[in-house]
Amino acid sequence: MKVPFVDLHALHEPIAAEIQAEVSAVIERGDFILGENVARFEEEFAAYCGVSHAAGLDSGLSALELGLRAMGIGEGDEVILPANTFIASAAAVSATGARPVLVDIDPVTYNIDPASADQAVTPRTKAIMPVHLYGQPAEMDSIMQLARKRGLKMIEDASQAHGAEYRGRRVGSFGDCAAFSLYPAKNLGAFGDAGVLVSNNADLIDKVKTYRNYGSLKKYHHVEQPFNRRLDTLQAAVLRVKLRKLDEWNQGRRRAAAAYRERLAGLVETPDEATNAMHVYHLFVVRCNERDALQAHLSERGVGSVLHYPIPIHLQPCYASLGHREGDFPITEQYAKTILSLPMFPTLGDEQIGAVVDAIRQWKTERA
């Protein structure tokens, strides 16, 4: 049996008619830019996250960048974030003119290590960016305590954690603001690039809404630095339909993760779930010392897998200017050589999971 890494067709087929109706309504109205569905999606997603306000944007990267700008982050400032994350987290900091300050990760959750973050604070540090990686919430108690103690702003990078919870609260409700990517393969994804920033700070969200629309809330009256970072109305219409399914889809991911964890015991190292958090498994990431050989075997068996992320940010050529070298973040570097993301999507079936596990078991047996 072939098992794709992600199956968006199976996800969308049951709601295709509902999505088509909403898209057709937008076409009929012709409100393609900042139309009715954008405002309604913002209201609904903010309520879903347990916050008061949201700004729909064209990508998760824009959400991070404009959130940082709205908090006053810029040239000469430093923002602390984990070395183990997608490059957009660091890129957003760089786009403001600030310097991304990387730290190592917790070996259990793969998220930012609060103790390392504390040690990285300097007089120039203005903010911290915890990333809820793979759908696992970061250790927010310690991070919030650190932010308060050090007088830091906080922006959550929740791009992989739509609906995840920490101590019963949804991620996105802890920081000064929080950014979500709405890329198609995310737990909540558009039909193209999209993003959203959420916050309880109305002034911050108003500033981001001004940034996104050429620095203007009133046509031809430009009061902030102009960007074109708007969420398309068509994408907002799709997202409103899909948001109503998000909790159900996340439960499907959690069921698949539980099955994986049980069946893969003793074969590869499976992810731990923090006792004070609800993981939503955007990715199901295992570890194996012979990762590349395992991935090649899975490919031969028709099982999709992906590396998230094989080259840490501090070793990427575009960030050579940060002055890091191999060995600076040993946990991040060790994991970059051993992590492998297995197929994960809400409709992943028992037979498909069995095929993935059988392929891994066969590989282990052949190498015994």
Side-chain angles (χ1 to χ4, degrees):
M1 172 183 288
K2 291 187 176 181
V3 184
F5 179 69
V6 65
D7 188 349
L8 294 180
H9 176 76
L11 195 70
H12 295 144
E13 188 175 25
I15 57 173
E18 191 175 358
I19 288 175
Q20 184 61 57
E22 292 294 336
V23 168
S24 295
V26 174
I27 295 171
E28 182 67 24
R29 288 193 304 271
D31 61 341
F32 299 111
I33 303 297
L34 295 181
E36 173 186 332
N37 275 290
V38 174
R40 294 181 70 179
F41 172 70
E42 290 169 341
E43 293 171 1
E44 291 162 5
F45 191 73
Y48 179 83
C49 293
V51 299
S52 303
H53 309 283
L57 298 158
D58 63 345
S59 70
L61 174 57
S62 289
L64 287 168
E65 179 196 342
L66 298 188
L68 289 166
R69 288 183 182 277
M71 292 193 298
I73 306 300
E75 194 75 34
D77 296 333
E78 295 177 349
V79 179
I80 296 172
L81 65 150
N84 183 38
T85 183
F86 182 53
I87 201 164
S89 305
V93 177
S94 301
T96 70
R99 177 183 176 87
V101 175
L102 303 172
V103 300
D104 217 343
I105 58 171
D106 178 271
V108 176
T109 67
Y110 301 12
N111 284 323
I112 191 169
D113 174 40
S116 297
D118 193 16
Q119 294 171 5
V121 175
T122 75
R124 291 190 169 187
T125 307
K126 294 298 188 294
I128 185 169
M129 181 191 293
V131 180
H132 307 301
L133 197 68
Y134 309 148
Q136 171 100 285
E139 177 50 56
M140 296 309 298
D141 284 347
S142 299
I143 295 168
M144 289 189 295
Q145 183 179 9
L146 167 61
R148 286 193 297 267
K149 179 179 74 171
R150 298 289 200 161
L152 304 179
K153 298 289 187 182
M154 187 205 303
I155 181 169
E156 297 173 68
D157 184 343
S159 295
Q160 300 183 7
H162 315 66
E165 296 180 5
Y166 181 84
R167 297 196 187 281
R169 283 173 58 184
R170 291 246 169 87
V171 300
S173 65
F174 294 92
D176 294 276
C177 58
F180 293 81
S181 167
L182 302 170
Y183 182 79
K186 296 297 172 70
N187 293 40
L188 177 66
F191 281 4
D193 278 322
V196 62
L197 187 80
V198 302
S199 178
N200 282 315
N201 185 328
D203 291 339
L204 186 151
I205 291 296
D206 282 346
K207 181 166 282 194
V208 169
K209 287 182 176 180
T210 305
Y211 285 144
R212 75 179 177 185
N213 191 32
Y214 295 98
S216 172
L217 284 176
K218 180 181 179 182
K219 197 168 185 178
Y220 303 132
H221 184 64
H222 308 280
V223 296
E224 298 285 356
Q225 183 173 350
F227 300 93
N228 180 10
R229 307 285 183 82
R230 300 171 297 209
L231 174 65
D232 290 333
T233 306
L234 284 168
Q235 299 294 0
V238 172
L239 289 162
R240 291 187 64 223
V241 174
K242 297 178 75 173
L243 179 59
R244 296 191 283 270
K245 303 286 289 183
L246 180 54
D247 284 343
E248 176 188 331
W249 288 342
N250 282 343
Q251 285 305 311
R253 291 176 181 272
R254 288 178 56 77
R255 283 192 298 270
Y260 266 142
R261 189 175 287 108
E262 179 182 357
R263 300 184 198 185
L264 288 172
L267 298 177
V268 290
E269 185 168 339
T270 57
D272 289 318
E273 183 169 339
T275 56
N276 54 5
M278 188 186 81
H279 197 319
V280 293
Y281 296 97
H282 170 59
L283 300 172
F284 189 86
V285 180
V286 300
R287 287 175 50 218
C288 174
N289 288 332
E290 298 178 272
R291 185 268 313 280
D292 294 343
L294 173 57
Q295 185 179 38
H297 174 80
L298 292 177
S299 180
E300 292 172 1
R301 291 285 299 266
V303 174
S305 64
V306 176
L307 308 183
H308 295 94
Y309 301 96
I311 304 174
I313 292 174
H314 66 287
L315 300 179
Q316 293 283 354
C318 66
Y319 275 113
S321 61
L322 295 180
H324 291 296
R325 59 186 178 183
E326 194 165 352
D328 282 356
F329 305 116
I331 300 173
T332 294
E333 292 171 28
Q334 176 193 352
Y335 285 13
K337 297 173 183 176
T338 60
I339 53 178
L340 182 66
S341 299
L342 300 182
M344 172 55 71
F345 44 92
T347 58
L348 186 65
D350 187 73
E351 190 175 357
Q352 291 172 309
I353 293 171
V356 176
V357 174
D358 286 346
I360 295 174
R361 182 178 292 110
Q362 180 193 43
W363 178 78
K364 289 283 287 188
T365 300
E366 290 175 352
R367 301 180 80 83

